[in-house]
Amino acid sequence: MDILKKEKIYTIEDIYALPDGERAELIDGKIYYMAPPNTKHQRLLNFISTEINIYIRENNGECEVFPAPFAVFLEEDDINYVEPDISVICDKRKITDKGCNGAPDWVIEIVSPGNKPIDYFVKLFKYRTANVREYWIVDPMKERITVYRFEKETMEEYSFGENVPVGIYEGFSIKV
């Protein structure tokens, strides 16, 4: 007789109980540990979030930009907790002292070697089903940006150095 081993379902309490300095995300009750970002990753994060902030400020935009670490509770449950590299949130009612309750409008993930399958597959599915409007995967190794506009059901790829149009803002693009 085969006995199936039941995989443990983790909760947000398990994330909060991690030792200081250890970061992880929680997707459907499974923990994904995060390696510290490298310098190239941080430069990209800083550049992109600055470009978005400048655009919002110059256009009197309502949205706010939150770079990681920033907690996003995608669903009203205790088994999903992510820290996107950049979250752009336009509905102020979603923002609390603990983070964002619900899907950000725009999420940007910068790929690290250890998290490639998570960003390209696990998070892609999760962000789509949580109603994120736009999802960018910035891949420094391939020097490529993959853009998913879930509302329009499109996927486009751009190389570093090209203008990448922002779907949630008409007339705004970023050259990475």
PDB file of all heavy atoms in Angstrom, residues 59 93 106 108 161:
ATOM      1  N   ASN A  59       3.255  63.957 -13.846  1.00  0.00           N
ATOM      2  CA  ASN A  59       1.919  63.893 -14.426  1.00  0.00           C
ATOM      3  C   ASN A  59       0.817  63.891 -13.366  1.00  0.00           C
ATOM      4  O   ASN A  59      -0.319  63.523 -13.657  1.00  0.00           O
ATOM      5  CB  ASN A  59       1.805  62.652 -15.323  1.00  0.00           C
ATOM      6  CG  ASN A  59       2.660  62.798 -16.567  1.00  0.00           C
ATOM      7  OD1 ASN A  59       2.250  63.401 -17.537  1.00  0.00           O
ATOM      8  ND2 ASN A  59       3.874  62.274 -16.515  1.00  0.00           N
ATOM      9  N   ARG A  93      -6.820  52.477  -1.346  1.00  0.00           N
ATOM     10  CA  ARG A  93      -7.505  51.668  -0.324  1.00  0.00           C
ATOM     11  C   ARG A  93      -6.811  50.329  -0.091  1.00  0.00           C
ATOM     12  O   ARG A  93      -7.010  49.702   0.933  1.00  0.00           O
ATOM     13  CB  ARG A  93      -8.965  51.435  -0.722  1.00  0.00           C
ATOM     14  CG  ARG A  93      -9.786  52.730  -0.781  1.00  0.00           C
ATOM     15  CD  ARG A  93     -11.128  52.505  -1.384  1.00  0.00           C
ATOM     16  NE  ARG A  93     -10.924  52.012  -2.756  1.00  0.00           N
ATOM     17  CZ  ARG A  93     -11.885  51.743  -3.632  1.00  0.00           C
ATOM     18  NH1 ARG A  93     -13.126  51.899  -3.300  1.00  0.00           N
ATOM     19  NH2 ARG A  93     -11.606  51.321  -4.845  1.00  0.00           N
ATOM     20  N   TRP A 106       0.598  47.093 -11.349  1.00  0.00           N
ATOM     21  CA  TRP A 106       1.764  46.770 -12.174  1.00  0.00           C
ATOM     22  C   TRP A 106       2.818  46.164 -11.255  1.00  0.00           C
ATOM     23  O   TRP A 106       3.130  46.719 -10.206  1.00  0.00           O
ATOM     24  CB  TRP A 106       2.253  48.051 -12.825  1.00  0.00           C
ATOM     25  CG  TRP A 106       3.443  47.992 -13.717  1.00  0.00           C
ATOM     26  CD1 TRP A 106       4.031  46.899 -14.275  1.00  0.00           C
ATOM     27  CD2 TRP A 106       4.196  49.117 -14.174  1.00  0.00           C
ATOM     28  NE1 TRP A 106       5.091  47.277 -15.048  1.00  0.00           N
ATOM     29  CE2 TRP A 106       5.205  48.632 -15.013  1.00  0.00           C
ATOM     30  CE3 TRP A 106       4.096  50.498 -13.951  1.00  0.00           C
ATOM     31  CZ2 TRP A 106       6.126  49.460 -15.631  1.00  0.00           C
ATOM     32  CZ3 TRP A 106       5.010  51.324 -14.574  1.00  0.00           C
ATOM     33  CH2 TRP A 106       6.019  50.821 -15.405  1.00  0.00           C
ATOM     34  N   ILE A 108       6.777  44.430 -11.285  1.00  0.00           N
ATOM     35  CA  ILE A 108       8.024  44.198 -12.008  1.00  0.00           C
ATOM     36  C   ILE A 108       8.898  43.290 -11.163  1.00  0.00           C
ATOM     37  O   ILE A 108       9.151  43.567  -9.992  1.00  0.00           O
ATOM     38  CB  ILE A 108       8.752  45.529 -12.298  1.00  0.00           C
ATOM     39  CG1 ILE A 108       7.867  46.447 -13.145  1.00  0.00           C
ATOM     40  CG2 ILE A 108      10.106  45.267 -12.975  1.00  0.00           C
ATOM     41  CD1 ILE A 108       8.367  47.867 -13.253  1.00  0.00           C
ATOM     42  N   GLY A 161      17.752  48.689 -23.979  1.00  0.00           N
ATOM     43  CA  GLY A 161      18.064  49.733 -24.941  1.00  0.00           C
ATOM     44  C   GLY A 161      16.864  50.134 -25.794  1.00  0.00           C
ATOM     45  O   GLY A 161      16.891  51.187 -26.428  1.00  0.00           O
TER      46      GLY A 161
END
